[in-house]
Amino acid sequence: MEKYRTIAKNGEQEIIIKKSRFIGSVARVTTETEAQEFLNTVRQKHAKANHHCFAYQLGFQDEIQRMSDDGEPSGTAGPPILDVLAKEHLNNLICVVTRYFGGIKLGAGGLIRAYSQGTSTAIQSVGLVAGMSQRRYQITIDYNQLDILTHYLAKQAITIANTEYTDVVALTVWLNEDAEETKLTAIKNLLAGQVTFAKQEAGFNEVPIESPK
């Protein structure tokens, strides 16, 4: 089952609205210290900007939520940034939306839309992943079985974490713990029993998911 959702990687994206530059910067963080360090990095990078508004969510259940309007009218920057993160159920990340004022006032509604769009655009640019609680297995087969197995794995959306080629082929895959026995039996039947399995550690396998529109 899906345990968490977050961004695939750190990154930034810029949009321009009525001559104001809005630069959304996103990063994976797990502590408030890491969030603050990233915020400071963005502030130093864009030292001449007018505002560095932000929001972050920490913990698998969003136990910690923080936000700041950083000088913008109350409720027009931090809350819309956090709202995007919350609606997408994103964990353990911070989004900083930096604004270089372009001389045209946007009004409260315009600011809310701008900071929301700045956040969504940054998230879309880096992509999202879902952390699935799974277990790794090494599957060892002969070379003449490789096409059959890889076709099955692709059809079942089973992630191949690693492949080693020696006198045999060893594929390391991620399987959902509540379905691993079923999948292993299916693979064994598919290959007429000519396969060996090595059970490895459990953990989180991050699977790409569709970005918000």
Side-chain angles (χ1 to χ4, degrees), residues 10-208:
N10 298 356
E12 69 174 36
Q13 191 70 25
E14 177 178 334
I15 59 175
I16 298 177
I17 300 176
K18 293 185 177 180
K19 298 185 178 180
S20 280
R21 296 172 60 201
F22 291 87
I23 304 170
S25 303
V26 289
R28 295 176 62 154
V29 293
T30 57
T31 67
E32 293 201 77
T33 298
E34 291 178 356
Q36 188 62 48
E37 288 174 349
F38 181 74
L39 175 60
N40 290 338
T41 298
V42 173
R43 284 173 171 162
Q44 292 171 9
K45 181 178 180 179
H46 299 286
K48 295 182 179 180
N50 301 91
H51 306 279
H52 299 286
C53 307
F54 70 88
Y56 58 81
Q57 296 196 136
L58 304 179
F60 289 155
Q61 302 299 322
D62 303 327
E63 292 87 350
I64 298 175
Q65 294 180 315
R66 301 281 187 267
M67 59 185 171
S68 170
D69 294 313
D70 192 36
E72 293 282 30
S74 180
T76 62
I81 296 172
L82 183 61
D83 186 57
V84 173
L85 304 186
K87 284 182 177 178
E88 290 300 321
H89 308 290
L90 302 179
N91 317 107
N92 292 333
L93 82 162
I94 179 173
C95 178
V96 183
V97 181
T98 297
R99 183 189 185 190
Y100 288 88
F101 182 54
I104 300 175
K105 293 184 177 180
L106 302 182
L111 285 172
I112 290 171
R113 289 188 294 272
Y115 280 101
S116 178
Q117 184 181 347
T119 304
S120 296
T121 302
I123 291 170
Q124 290 173 22
S125 73
V126 297
L128 301 178
V129 292
M132 314 292 290
S133 180
Q134 297 183 327
R135 181 177 294 279
R136 288 161 61 103
Y137 276 84
Q138 187 176 72
I139 304 173
T140 303
I141 58 173
D142 291 328
Y143 277 84
N144 60 7
Q145 300 170 305
L146 183 59
D147 288 344
I148 297 173
L149 179 58
T150 54
H151 177 74
Y152 171 81
L153 296 176
K155 190 175 180 179
Q156 295 294 314
I158 295 174
T159 302
I160 300 175
N162 186 49
T163 305
E164 297 179 6
Y165 301 95
T166 56
D167 55 326
V168 291
V169 186
L171 295 87
T172 302
V173 301
W174 286 97
L175 298 177
N176 289 340
E177 292 189 84
D178 59 351
E180 57 189 74
E181 292 302 326
T182 300
K183 298 298 184 185
L184 293 175
T185 298
I187 291 171
K188 186 175 182 179
N189 292 338
L190 177 70
L191 301 177
Q194 302 302 305
V195 57
T196 59
F197 303 111
K199 189 175 185 178
Q200 298 182 343
E201 73 278 3
F204 292 116
N205 176 31
E206 294 190 346
V207 179

